[in-house]
C-alpha cells in the first residue's frame, strides 16, 4: 500500500467509526455523516496511485486548461486523456436509457479536454485526436493492465470515436 494512503485510511477509519480525529484517547465519540467522505475525490486519488505505479513520470494529475477546465489525468507519452468517474453503472453499461444522459455529459466533458490546446501541448506533439478513457470502479477487474490501451480495447463506448471505459478494482 502506498505510504501516502496510510494517513487518509487512518482518518477515514476514524470517520467511519464516528470517532474524533483529535489527539484524545478515542473514548469521545462524535456523530459524523458518512457523506462527508468525498468518494469521487478518493477514487481519483486511488486511480492516480495505480496510474503512477504503472506509468511512472508519464501521468499528469489535475492539469489546468483553458477557461478554468481541469483534466483528471493526461498520459503525456501516449496522448491519452483519462477522467475518473465514481459511477458503478459504467461496469455494466449497455446503452440503458437511464444512464444515457450521464454518459453523454461525461463524453462531452472529456471531449472538451481532448480538444483543449493547453492539454494538447503537454502531450506528444504528434497527437491530434487523443484517445479518451473513462476510469470507473469495477468489481470484476483485478488490476490495472500494464498496457493501458490493450486493457480498454474491448470496452469501447459505442457511437464515439476513440472513447473507452477502464474498470479498476477497489
Amino acid at each position: 500500500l502506498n505510504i501516502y494512503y496510510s494517513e487518509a485510511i487512518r482518518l477515514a477509519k476514524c470517520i467511519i467509526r464516528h470517532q474524533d480525529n483529535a489527539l484524545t484517547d478515542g473514548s469521545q465519540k462524535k456523530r459524523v455523516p458518512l457523506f462527508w467522505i468525498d468518494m469521487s475525490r478518493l477514487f481519483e486519488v486511488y486511480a492516480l496511485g495505480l496510474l503512477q505505479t504503472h506509468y511512472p513520470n508519464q501521468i499528469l494529475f489535475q492539469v489546468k486548461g483553458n477557461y478554468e477546465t481541469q483534466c483528471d489525468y493526461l498520459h503525456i507519452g501516449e496522448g491519452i486523456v483519462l477522467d475518473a468517474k465514481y459511477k458503478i453503472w459504467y461496469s455494466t453499461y449497455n446503452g440503458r436509457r437511464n444512464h444515457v444522459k450521464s454518459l453523454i455529459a461525461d463524453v462531452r466533458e472529456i471531449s472538451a479536454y481532448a480538444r483543449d490546446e493547453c492539454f494538447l501541448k503537454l502531450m506528444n506533439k504528434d497527437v491530434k485526436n487523443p484517445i479518451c478513457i473513462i476510469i470507473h470502479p469495477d468489481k470484476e477487474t483485478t488490476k490495472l493492465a500494464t498496457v493501458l490501451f490493450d486493457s480498454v480495447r474491448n470496452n469501447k463506448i459505442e457511437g464515439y470515436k476513440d472513447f473507452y471505459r477502464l474498470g479498476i478494482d477497489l
Side-chain angles (χ1 to χ4, degrees):
L1 195 58
N2 191 324
I3 59 170
Y4 299 107
Y5 298 137
S6 61
E7 180 66 8
I9 291 171
R10 185 189 71 75
L11 289 173
K13 285 180 180 178
C14 285
I15 292 169
I16 290 170
R17 288 186 191 128
H18 302 270
Q19 291 182 353
D20 186 9
N21 292 345
L23 298 174
T24 64
D25 62 1
S27 62
Q28 297 175 341
K29 293 201 175 198
K30 289 185 176 180
R31 297 199 46 84
V32 179
L34 295 179
F35 62 83
W36 280 8
I37 300 173
D38 185 351
M39 291 305 293
S40 294
R41 181 70 175 155
L42 191 59
F43 181 67
E44 282 178 3
V45 175
Y46 175 70
L48 173 65
L50 292 175
L51 288 167
Q52 286 179 334
T53 299
H54 289 284
Y55 308 102
N57 303 317
Q58 297 178 54
I59 302 295
L60 299 179
F61 179 61
Q62 295 293 318
V63 184
K64 296 200 184 301
N66 287 311
Y67 305 107
E68 299 180 20
T69 59
Q70 189 168 328
C71 179
D72 286 348
Y73 322 96
L74 290 178
H75 189 302
I76 55 176
E78 297 292 324
I80 301 174
V81 176
L82 302 108
D83 197 61
K85 299 293 181 192
Y86 188 70
K87 299 177 180 179
I88 306 298
W89 58 263
Y90 267 114
S91 60
T92 58
Y93 181 73
N94 60 3
R96 278 182 279 173
R97 202 168 188 88
N98 56 336
H99 298 300
V100 170
K101 286 184 180 181
S102 183
L103 172 72
I104 292 170
D106 293 344
V107 167
R108 286 178 178 160
E109 175 189 353
I110 300 165
S111 293
Y113 299 151
R115 303 301 176 257
D116 191 307
E117 290 177 352
C118 289
F119 301 145
L120 291 171
K121 285 178 187 174
L122 291 170
M123 292 187 283
N124 186 329
K125 294 184 180 185
D126 297 332
V127 174
K128 290 183 176 56
N129 294 314
I131 293 170
C132 299
I133 298 175
I134 296 173
I135 300 173
H136 61 87
D138 188 350
K139 290 186 251 182
E140 303 301 317
T141 307
T142 55
K143 62 181 178 178
L144 191 67
T146 307
V147 180
L148 188 61
F149 188 68
D150 287 345
S151 66
V152 298
R153 194 176 303 265
N154 294 328
N155 290 315
K156 182 178 184 326
I157 297 176
E158 293 302 319
Y160 296 99
K161 184 179 190 302
D162 295 329
F163 259 87
Y164 301 90
R165 296 178 295 127
L166 175 64
I168 58 174
D169 185 38
L170 299 178

